[in-house]
């Protein structure tokens, strides 16, 4: 720019001199050539300074200035010498331009210009007056001073611009970190920005409203003990900002009263303290504070940059809060996806994951993986009687008690309603046995639920995994198999009487497969003609005449062979197939009884007994179906006896009583089967329409032994009770003549058992009636003359009439609508029975 100014001035002034005092044309041309040369060289230099670094450009600038002085000096000498006004203007321009150079360059170039001027005067013979020379030197000096002042102001403005650029850079550097998830990183950048502002001591403090204190989370120049301390929120610069809710700037003496005391002791020369609030969701969350000891303190632009940094810090805190909320939400979602909402235990998904982990890392020296499946017994009664709220409360209590019994590394999960699973590793058979007993004991302790004190029983199935690690292909299969095995063991515990634990073995799997086959085949048994009804006679103990028959169901399947009622009746009960099967049995029995009554007038008083299961007793259509069968086959209602077990009365007692009452109004007889083995509540005999008591086989066994005085006393009591209440008494499972004789002496009137006859097909019923005679039950009827009982050549009782194992007898579905099975071995040895 200086070169262009000088060249332009030279051209203008040369033209002026030429016009004022015409010279030869060559001088004009020479001046123009010099001006053009200056312009061209200036252009070349301007391009050059953009192509090279600043240091080289500055050197070239100095060189050009020297050349310029020489060129203009020559032009001035040719156009008028040192007296020329042109030279004065050049001197002024050069001095002004030189003032933009550094101090040393100003001195050098100024001296060079002065020497050039003095040289021009000397060449011209000092042909200038003193006054003119003084005026010219004064003008040049004044211009030099003005140029120096302007240069100084330029330097100040440049420094100020540079400083503002540094402030902006500090704020920008911190702002760039806002998008980082780590709030600490952003706050650290803010602290670094404060350092660029000239704040030697700075800190970011967070306020705890609940405790009324603040603590420093990021700082520079602050002693360690203050970083860890919880300071009252009303003290220091933080207190001022907390009360004012705005930026606070203190200078000099005021600053010393609002800093950390130790800083005041160490640096009494502090000149400024500043603090600005940090906002989080509209609430004051913290304070950004700093202190400076620069003599000039903090300028307005410093305070503005400080507030910008405080805004960056606030954004960082907001980002941290959002990230924390997102992390918490994600953690909650992950927890909800892998845990049960009610109990907080692991759910099935998390159990499967941990089961896979344990199976994949199994080692013989670590012990085998074991899975315990815990199912609460009769939990539905809690929901039905106390409500689902009480049921949920009980489940939470159960979960807590299960956890207290387990180790830290074990997994307790809730799989469904009242079913829990426990995954353990490293326990041997004895340890698992102790653990199962401890769990049952913990659950059985009384607890307060819904304002009621109750205890919980449970059934536990235990399954063991392989002792060696599995690959990825085997893991899913092994995990599913382990769950299935534990489930089978748990149901075995249910069948064994509940409130116990069972360890899985392979026989359970075989039973399950058979059960599944039975479930698949049973629905088609009626239409495929696979079901048959056998009839076991009920006889008078005194004269051994037949008073009636009990209908007993048998099932022979082409694929499964002969299936015991002990196996298929409970399944029919569970699946609901017992309803159509029971109706079919009742129709078959009524049809057979009607056929007997129509064949022989002496058989008109025979009775027929049919078993009713729990599911049938709950059937709303039961009474109408019985009424329909009696009407269809023209059978007097008092000849039909429906046998129920005591346990079936416990479920839905009100509706059961109502249906039994309706049957009683029809005239149908009701027999209480297995009397004495269940709950034996005498209130049933008052509340229900009961006409007959059936003494269980367990009381009949061992009657011949003189040591069995208790059994005889019980039978005598039942017989006397029946006599007192005008109820018939039937003893089941009579296998020997000795038992028959004792029962007669004890007062039993009727009996069933192999000592007389097993269950027989319909065509054999006539033979039994003709050989033994009938004892009709018509009003006022009495038994016919005694006859010799049918011998089978084998002592033994028909399982259908009372020799069912105890566990099966207590199962509500065993006698469901069909009685119990005849042993295949017994059938094969009894030609008069159905061949097995």
């Amino acid at each position: 720019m200086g070169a262009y100014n000088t060249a332009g001035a030279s051209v203008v002034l040369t033209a002026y001199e030429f016009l004022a005092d015409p010279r030869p044309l060559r001088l004009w041309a020479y001046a123009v050539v010099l001006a053009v040369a200056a312009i061209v060289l200036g252009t070349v230099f301007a391009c050059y300074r953009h192509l090279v670094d600043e240091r080289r450009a500055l050197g070239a600038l100095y060189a050009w200035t020297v050349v310029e002085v020489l060129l203009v000096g020559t032009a001035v000498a040719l156009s008028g010498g040192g007296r020329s006004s042109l030279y004065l203007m050049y001197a002024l321009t050069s001095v002004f331009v030189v003032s933009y150079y550094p101090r040393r360059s100003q001195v050098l170039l100024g001296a060079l210009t002065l020497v050039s001027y003095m040289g021009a005067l000397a060449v011209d013979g000092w042909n200038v007056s003193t006054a003119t020379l003084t005026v010219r030197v004064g003008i040049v000096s004044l211009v030099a001073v003005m140029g120096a002042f302007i240069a100084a102001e330029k330097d100040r403005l440049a420094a100020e611009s540079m400083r503002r650029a540094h402030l902006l850079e500090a704020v920008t550097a911190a702002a760039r970190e806002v998008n980082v998830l780590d709030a600490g990183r952003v706050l650290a950048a803010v602290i670094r920005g404060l350092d660029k502002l000239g704040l030697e001591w700075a800190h970011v403090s967070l306020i705890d409203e609940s405790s009324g204190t603040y603590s420093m989370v990021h700082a520079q120049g602050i002693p360690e003990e203050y970083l860890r301390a919880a300071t009252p929120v009303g003290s220091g610069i933080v207190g001022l900002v907390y009360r004012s809710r705005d930026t606070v700037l203190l200078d000099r003496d005021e600053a010393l009263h609002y800093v950390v005391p130790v800083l005041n002791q160490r640096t009494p020369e502090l000149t400024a303290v500043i603090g600005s609030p940090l906002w989080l969701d509209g609430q004051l969350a913290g304070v950004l504070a700093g202190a400076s000891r620069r003599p000039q303190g903090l300028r307005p632009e410093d305070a503005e940059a400080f507030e910008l940094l405080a805004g960056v810090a606030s954004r960082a805190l907001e980002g941290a809060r959002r990230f924390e909320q997102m992390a918490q939400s994600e953690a909650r979602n992950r927890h909800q996806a892998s845990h049960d909402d009610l109990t907080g235990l692991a759910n099935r998904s998390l159990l499967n994951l941990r089961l896979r982990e344990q199976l994949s890392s199994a080692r013989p020296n670590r012990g085998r993986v074991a899975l315990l499946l815990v199912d609460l017994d009769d939990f539905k009664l809690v929901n039905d009687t106390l409500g689902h709220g009480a049921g949920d409360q009980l489940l939470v209590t159960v979960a807590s008690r299960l956890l207290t019994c387990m180790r830290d590394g074990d997994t307790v999960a809730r799989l469904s309603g009242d079913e829990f699973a426990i995954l353990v590793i490293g326990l041997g058979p004895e340890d698992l046995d102790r653990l199962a007993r401890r769990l049952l004991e913990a659950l059985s302790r009384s607890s307060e639920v819904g304002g009621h004190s109750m205890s919980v029983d449970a059934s536990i199935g235990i399954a063991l995994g392989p002792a060696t690690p599995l690959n990825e292909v085997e893991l899913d299969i092994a995990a599913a198999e382990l769950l299935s095995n534990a489930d089978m063991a748990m149901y075995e515990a249910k069948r064994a009487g509940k409130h116990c634990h069972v360890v899985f073995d392979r026989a359970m799997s075989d039973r399950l497969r058979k059960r599944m086959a039975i479930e698949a085949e049973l629905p088609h048994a009626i239409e495929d003609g696979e079901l048959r009804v056998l009839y076991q006679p009920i006889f008078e103990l005194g004269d051994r005449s037949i008073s009636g028959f009990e209908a007993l169901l048998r099932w022979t399947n082409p694929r499964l062979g002969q299936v015991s009622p002990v196996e298929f009746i409970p399944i029919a009960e569970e699946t609901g197939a017992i309803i159509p099967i029971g109706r079919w049995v009742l129709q078959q029995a009524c049809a057979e009884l009607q056929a007997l009554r129509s064949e022989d007038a002496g058989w008109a008083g025979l009775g027929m007994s049919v078993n009713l299961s729990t599911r049938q007793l709950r059937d709303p259509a039961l009474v109408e179906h019985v009424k329909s069968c009696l009407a269809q086959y023209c059978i007097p209602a008092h000849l039909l006896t429906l046998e129920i077990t005591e346990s079936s009365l416990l479920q839905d007692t009100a509706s059961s009583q109502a249906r039994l009452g309706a049957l009683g109004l029809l005239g149908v007889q009701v027999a209480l089967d297995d009397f004495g083995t269940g709950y034996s509540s005498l209130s049933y005999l008052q509340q229900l329409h009961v006409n007959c008591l059936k003494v269980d086989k367990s009381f009949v066994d061992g009657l011949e032994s003189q040591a069995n005085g208790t059994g005889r006393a019980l039978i005598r009591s039942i017989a006397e009770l029946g006599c007192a209440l005008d109820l018939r008494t039937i003893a089941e499972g009579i296998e020997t003549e000795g038992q028959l004789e004792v029962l007669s002496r004890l007062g039993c009137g009727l009996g069933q058992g192999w000592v007389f006859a097993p269950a027989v097909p319909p065509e054999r019923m006539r033979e039994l009636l003709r050989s033994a005679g009938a004892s009709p039950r018509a009003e006022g009827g009495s038994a016919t003359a005694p006859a010799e009982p049918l011998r089978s050549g084998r002592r033994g009782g028909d399982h259908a009439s009372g020799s069912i194992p105890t566990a099966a007898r207590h199962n509500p579905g065993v006698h469901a609508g069909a009685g119990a099975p005849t042993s295949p071995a017994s059938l094969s040895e009894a030609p008069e029975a159905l061949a097995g």
Side-chain angles (χ1 to χ4, degrees):
M1 182 62 71
Y4 283 109
N5 289 341
T6 303
S10 300
V11 171
V12 173
L13 292 179
T14 300
Y16 172 77
E17 289 290 338
F18 178 77
L19 293 175
D21 185 12
R23 301 296 173 93
L25 186 59
R26 61 184 180 83
L27 295 178
W28 165 251
Y30 184 68
V32 172
V33 170
L34 288 178
V36 172
I39 292 172
V40 171
L41 290 174
T43 303
V44 172
F45 168 71
C47 295
Y48 175 75
R49 65 179 297 190
H50 289 291
L51 298 176
V52 299
D53 59 70
E54 183 178 355
R55 184 175 298 178
R56 292 184 180 182
L58 191 60
L61 179 63
Y62 293 159
W64 163 245
T65 304
V66 174
V67 173
E68 182 187 27
V69 170
L70 296 177
L71 288 175
V72 176
T74 303
V76 170
L78 294 176
S79 62
R83 295 169 295 158
S84 172
S85 299
L86 176 64
Y87 203 90
L88 176 62
M89 294 304 297
Y90 163 72
L92 293 176
T93 303
S94 297
V95 170
F96 189 82
V97 172
V98 167
S99 66
Y100 283 90
Y101 289 176
R103 298 282 184 185
R104 183 177 298 177
S105 301
Q106 290 181 28
V107 173
L108 292 176
L109 293 178
L112 179 62
T113 302
L114 182 60
V115 170
S116 174
Y117 183 57
M118 291 302 178
L121 290 178
V123 171
D124 198 34
W126 293 94
N127 189 14
V128 64
S129 64
T130 303
T132 300
L133 181 61
T134 302
V135 170
R136 289 186 174 185
V137 171
I139 292 174
V140 170
S141 300
L142 180 60
V143 171
V145 171
M146 291 177 61
F149 174 77
I150 292 174
E153 184 65 17
K154 181 204 65 147
D155 291 342
R156 187 189 68 79
L157 292 176
E160 185 69 22
S161 177
M162 184 66 69
R163 186 167 167 278
R164 286 180 176 273
H166 284 155
L167 294 179
L168 181 60
E169 180 184 357
V171 174
T172 304
R176 278 197 299 265
E177 300 288 347
V178 169
N179 293 329
V180 177
L181 294 179
D182 184 5
R185 179 174 166 181
V186 181
L187 296 179
V190 170
I191 294 297
R192 290 194 299 271
L194 295 181
D195 184 53
K196 292 183 179 180
L197 265 63
L199 300 176
E200 291 86 351
W201 298 276
H203 63 84
V204 176
S205 298
L206 297 183
I207 296 173
D208 185 359
E209 293 283 1
S210 61
S211 63
T213 62
Y214 72 88
S215 57
M216 301 178 187
V217 293
H218 280 276
Q220 70 170 7
I222 306 294
E224 186 70 21
E225 60 268 21
Y226 284 94
L227 290 177
R228 295 191 300 265
T231 308
V233 73
S235 61
I237 186 67
V238 174
L240 289 178
V241 175
Y242 181 76
R243 289 187 288 273
S244 67
R245 295 298 201 270
D246 200 357
T247 299
V248 175
L249 176 61
L250 305 176
D251 295 327
R252 303 298 174 183
D253 294 338
E254 282 186 315
L256 298 178
H257 297 288
Y258 290 98
V259 295
V260 177
V262 69
L263 297 183
N264 192 9
Q265 296 169 8
R266 295 181 182 179
T267 57
E269 70 276 12
L270 285 178
T271 57
V273 173
I274 188 171
S276 190
L278 304 179
W279 301 98
L280 180 60
D281 294 336
Q283 302 295 323
L284 182 61
V287 172
L288 177 66
S292 174
R293 59 180 179 181
R294 292 189 308 183
Q296 69 272 26
L298 294 176
R299 299 175 182 176
E301 58 268 21
D302 296 329
E304 182 180 352
F306 186 88
E307 289 182 327
L308 289 175
L309 288 173
V312 172
S314 295
R315 289 284 304 277
L317 294 178
E318 291 179 356
R321 170 68 63 84
R322 300 290 183 271
F323 176 72
E324 181 182 0
Q325 291 174 345
M326 290 173 58
Q328 290 175 351
S329 176
E330 184 178 355
R332 282 195 302 270
N333 292 337
R334 285 198 304 268
H335 186 274
Q336 291 174 354
S338 60
H339 290 77
D340 176 56
D341 292 337
L342 177 63
T343 62
L345 299 177
N347 61 12
R348 185 181 294 272
S349 175
L350 182 57
L351 176 70
N352 285 331
L353 178 63
R354 293 185 178 174
L355 185 56
R356 286 173 54 89
E357 291 175 353
Q358 295 291 359
L359 289 174
S360 64
S361 61
R363 294 291 184 276
N365 58 346
R366 293 178 56 201
R368 297 174 65 180
V369 176
L371 184 66
L372 290 79
L373 211 58
V374 182
D375 189 84
L376 305 186
D377 296 334
D378 303 320
F379 177 75
K380 185 177 182 297
L381 293 176
V382 178
N383 283 336
D384 292 344
T385 56
L386 301 181
H388 289 276
D392 290 346
Q393 183 181 348
L394 179 59
L395 291 174
V396 173
T397 301
V398 168
S400 175
R401 292 187 178 180
L402 291 178
L403 287 172
T404 58
C405 296
M406 306 312 301
R407 303 168 299 181
D408 290 339
D410 299 331
T411 299
V412 181
R414 181 186 177 211
L415 302 185
S416 60
D418 61 335
E419 189 176 45
F420 299 83
I422 301 173
L423 178 62
V424 297
I425 190 169
L427 297 183
E430 294 181 359
D431 296 327
L432 289 173
D433 180 75
R434 283 192 293 268
L435 173 60
R437 293 180 185 277
R438 187 164 67 249
L439 291 172
L440 292 174
E441 181 183 356
L443 295 179
S444 63
R445 291 198 300 268
S446 178
S447 59
E448 195 74 19
V449 176
H452 297 77
S453 179
M454 64 175 57
S455 59
V456 181
D457 289 337
S459 301
I460 301 178
I462 304 174
L464 297 175
T468 57
L470 305 175
N471 57 39
E472 288 296 326
V473 177
E474 299 169 328
L475 278 178
D476 289 332
I477 299 175
E481 183 179 7
L482 193 59
L483 276 167
S484 175
N485 293 345
D487 192 58
M488 281 188 279
M490 184 268 292
Y491 278 106
E492 284 293 326
K494 293 278 189 188
R495 283 190 284 269
K498 304 181 181 180
H499 192 59
C500 63
H501 67 279
V502 172
V503 180
F504 173 80
D505 58 46
R506 289 300 165 189
M508 295 179 191
S509 180
D510 296 336
R511 288 194 293 271
L512 177 63
R513 283 194 293 270
K514 186 170 184 180
R515 175 188 174 88
M516 295 175 63
I518 291 174
E519 288 184 1
E521 298 287 340
L522 189 57
H524 313 290
I526 296 178
E527 60 188 54
D528 292 344
E530 299 173 3
L531 297 179
R532 295 186 67 189
V533 179
L534 302 184
Y535 302 90
Q536 185 175 40
I538 301 174
F539 61 95
E540 299 280 352
L541 296 187
D543 60 9
R544 302 196 184 191
S545 60
I546 297 176
S547 65
F549 291 88
E550 180 179 359
L552 303 174
L553 183 63
R554 298 293 183 264
W555 179 27
T556 303
N557 180 265
R559 191 166 66 88
L560 301 175
Q562 183 169 319
V563 186
S564 169
V566 175
E567 294 178 319
F568 75 82
I569 291 298
I571 296 174
E573 178 85 5
E574 293 174 15
T575 60
I578 194 65
I579 299 296
I581 290 177
R583 292 177 179 177
W584 181 83
V585 171
L586 181 60
Q587 286 183 328
Q588 296 296 312
C590 289
E592 196 60 43
L593 181 60
Q594 192 270 345
L596 290 175
R597 285 165 45 82
S598 62
E599 286 182 23
D600 192 324
W603 299 342
L606 290 173
M608 181 64 71
S609 296
V610 179
N611 289 283
L612 279 184
S613 72
T614 304
R615 191 80 171 250
Q616 287 177 276
L617 195 55
R618 296 203 304 265
D619 182 13
L622 172 66
V623 176
E624 288 300 320
H625 182 69
V626 171
K627 185 188 300 184
S628 174
C629 286
L630 293 176
Q632 179 181 356
Y633 297 105
C634 301
I635 297 176
H638 71 277
L639 297 182
L640 177 63
T641 300
L642 298 179
E643 297 188 8
I644 59 174
T645 59
E646 291 179 290
S647 58
S648 66
L649 298 176
L650 292 180
Q651 302 186 28
D652 198 11
T653 305
S655 62
S656 299
Q657 290 180 2
R659 292 187 183 96
L660 291 176
L663 292 172
L665 292 177
L666 291 177
V668 175
Q669 306 290 296
V670 176
L672 204 54
D673 199 5
D674 299 337
F675 186 76
T677 62
Y679 301 89
S680 301
S681 173
L682 296 180
S683 63
Y684 293 152
L685 304 181
Q686 285 184 319
Q687 299 171 9
L688 304 178
H689 179 76
V690 176
N691 308 98
C692 177
L693 303 179
K694 300 194 74 172
V695 180
D696 188 70
K697 181 182 183 301
S698 60
F699 297 126
V700 176
D701 292 337
L703 281 181
E704 296 174 278
S705 172
Q706 296 297 325
N708 190 13
T710 302
R712 297 186 182 192
L714 287 174
I715 293 176
R716 179 182 291 108
S717 299
I718 294 173
E720 291 175 353
L721 177 65
C723 182
L725 297 178
D726 196 20
L727 304 176
R728 290 179 294 145
T729 304
I730 304 175
E732 298 181 293
I734 307 173
E735 299 180 350
T736 66
E737 293 290 342
Q739 292 173 348
L740 190 150
E741 182 181 351
V742 173
L743 288 169
S744 297
R745 291 202 307 269
L746 294 177
C748 285
L750 300 170
Q752 288 177 258
W754 275 71
V755 71
F756 187 84
V760 297
E763 57 270 17
R764 294 281 293 138
M765 296 170 66
R766 279 78 175 167
E767 298 179 17
L768 290 175
L769 286 170
R770 293 189 183 97
S771 62
S775 175
R777 282 195 292 174
E779 289 89 347
S782 60
T784 60
E788 282 293 316
L790 179 65
R791 296 288 199 273
S792 65
R794 169 183 168 87
R795 289 173 56 186
D798 188 348
H799 289 245
S801 60
S803 57
I804 303 169
T806 303
R809 186 185 305 118
H810 291 173
N811 189 320
V814 168
H815 292 112
T822 299
S823 165
S826 301
L827 289 173
S828 64
E829 296 181 20
E832 63 280 333
L834 176 65

